């Protein structure tokens, strides 16, 4: 027993976690055998129980480092059955619960260690965990996130650690496709609806176009391996991934309760399922998100970054070419906020690809994602008369061939008047030809020539933002042409739709300046 204990401790100190678990398991088995034999020897029994308690807590530490949290928690509970106030077991359990985003339970564990921490000189370390856990618990409960300091520091250092947060949303059957995420109350632009950490991610920098496809294939394989590992270690993770669509029989799928995705949901509430890797691969193919999309703002990362990841609850959000939400990636977290005002009962949607392009290009992109978009905007543009569509195609081809973009905008606006297009539909068409609008508004020469014959920049920006949500490119045009307090206020309101209510004014100005550069 002494030899096993010494070897296990040495492996633990050397951070050889797998071997440490194996040797501690041997020690625990031998120790339990000796306890049975020492039933009538109270002194020997007490000594063996102390050794067993410490072995369980040390094996829990090694298992937690391997991210085998479920087994690690079992070890902590075994240690605490022997000694209810065992410092090492309580601290390890608190750290595991914190990793599992079960903040309230983690706080209870850290608070229970305070007295022993003070006596043993570990108070500073425990207070650090308490402070961190208290902050994350508050974020998770209130949705009060603030990235200001990190942004103002130029994204230096590690990205901020964020709590899991589920806002006023629920899953329901969707008219767009299968199931979707819907808001449960009226919320205004910038309101946070979801913050969640990826089950797994894989990232790299793509530089050589010729090798990018090969690199992406390698990354995809690594990503799948990471998901497999997570599934093998967590029954709950497997169950949650299994709630996602594999792309078949969408209308027959159950609608899960949103509470299922809250971290507090216990592991034991899920029945044992066999892992069907064929279905898991189909689920990953349908639900994984990339981080280089125009619709995904990736903060604090190299511009050449390409990433792929799985964020389970966010996977229920359907695509629309007139989306009302945006996703921002910070570290392994995805932050979803509404990019324009949304009414109770409205489905949350965001763009899977660039939607500030004409209909035919959007069709090509949606097909590359494996679906045909049937959102209101696409239906409207598809339903236009053949003559109208031909005129739009002529404008599009003219812009591609170097036509004066100011002339293209003028022709578009004249057609909009002639076709008696109003409201959101006017915004749809302006969004489809935003490249021409932005180039016109961004060129002093063109504005002198066409400025009086086309809409004011703020009119066009508001029109597009109301139909497809806020976008950096709308901000850039507004800032370039703006002057005075009214335009700055308009830009700040639009910026809330781009970045959400995650930053204070000074940090928001910093982000606006980055977008203009």
């Amino acid at each position: 027993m002494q030899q096993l204990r010494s070897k296990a401790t040495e492996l633990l100190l050397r951070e050889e976690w797998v071997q440490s678990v194996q040797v501690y398991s041997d020690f625990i088995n031998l120790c339990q055998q000796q306890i049975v034999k020492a039933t009538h020897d109270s002194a020997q029994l007490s000594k063996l129980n102390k050794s067993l308690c410490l072995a369980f807590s040390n094996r829990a530490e090694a298992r937690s480092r391997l991210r085998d949290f479920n087994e690690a928690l079992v070890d902590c509970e075994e240690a605490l059955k022997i000694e209810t106030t065992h410092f090492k077991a309580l601290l390890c359990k608190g750290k595991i619960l914190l990793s599992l985003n079960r903040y309230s339970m983690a706080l209870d564990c850290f608070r229970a260690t305070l007295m022993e921490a003070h006596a043993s000189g570990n108070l500073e370390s425990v207070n650090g965990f308490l402070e961190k856990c208290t902050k994350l618990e508050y974020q998770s409960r209130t949705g009060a996130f603030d990235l200001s300091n990190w942004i103002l520091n130029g994204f230096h250092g590690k990205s901020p650690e964020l709590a899991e947060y589920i806002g006023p949303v629920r899953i329901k059957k969707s008219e767009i496709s299968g199931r979707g995420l819907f808001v449960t109350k009226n919320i205004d632009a910038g309101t946070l609806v979801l913050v969640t950490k990826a089950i797994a991610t894989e990232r790299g920098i793509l530089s050589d176009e010729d090798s990018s496809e090969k690199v992406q294939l390698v990354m995809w394989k690594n990503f799948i391996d990471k998901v497999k590992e997570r599934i093998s270690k967590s029954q709950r993770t497997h169950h949650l991934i299994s709630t996602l669509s594999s792309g078949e029989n969408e209308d027959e799928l159950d609608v899960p309760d949103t509470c299922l995705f809250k971290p507090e949901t216990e592991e034991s509430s899920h029945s044992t399922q066999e892992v069907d890797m064929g279905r898991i691969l189909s689920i990953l193919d349908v639900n994984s998100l990339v981080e280089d999309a125009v619709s995904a703002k990736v903060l604090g990362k190299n511009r050449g970054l390409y990433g792929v990841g799985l964020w389970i609850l966010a996977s229920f959000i359907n695509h629309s070419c007139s989306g009302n939400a945006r996703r921002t990636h910070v570290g392994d977290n995805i932050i979803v906020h509404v990019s324009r005002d949304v009414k109770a009962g409205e489905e949350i949607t965001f763009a899977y690809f660039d939607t500030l392009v004409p209909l035919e290009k959007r069709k090509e992109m949606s097909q590359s994602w494996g679906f045909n978009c049937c959102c209101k905007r696409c239906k409207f543009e598809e339903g236009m008369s053949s003559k109208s569509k031909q005129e739009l195609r002529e404008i599009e081809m003219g812009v591609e061939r170097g036509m004066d973009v100011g002339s293209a905008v003028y022709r578009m606006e004249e057609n909009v008047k002639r076709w008696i297009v109003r409201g959101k539909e006017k915004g749809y068409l302006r969004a489809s030809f935003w490249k021409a609008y932005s180039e016109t508004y961004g060129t002093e020469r063109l504005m002198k020539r066409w400025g009086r014959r086309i809409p004011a920049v703020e009119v066009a920006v508001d029109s597009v933002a109301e139909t497809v949500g806020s976008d950096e490119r709308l901000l850039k045009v507004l800032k370039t042409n703006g002057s005075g307090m009214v335009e700055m206020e308009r830009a700040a309101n639009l910026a809330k739709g781009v970045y959400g209510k995650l930053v204070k004014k000074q940090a928001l100005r910093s982000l606006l300046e980055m977008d203009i550069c």
Side-chain angles (χ1 to χ4, degrees), residues 225-243:
D225 289 342
K226 288 181 179 180
V227 174
K228 283 182 183 177
E229 185 180 6
R230 289 295 306 275
I231 287 173
S232 70
K233 292 180 177 178
S234 173
Q235 186 180 321
R236 179 173 186 265
T237 299
H238 178 212
H239 178 71
L240 293 180
I241 291 176
S242 297
T243 65

Side-chain angles (χ1 to χ4, degrees), residues 409 434 436-443 447 454-457 460 477 480-481:
V409 172
W434 186 252
Y437 281 84
S438 63
E439 288 184 18
T440 302
Y441 291 130
T443 309
M447 283 301 288
I454 62 175
V457 61
V477 166
T480 302
N481 286 268

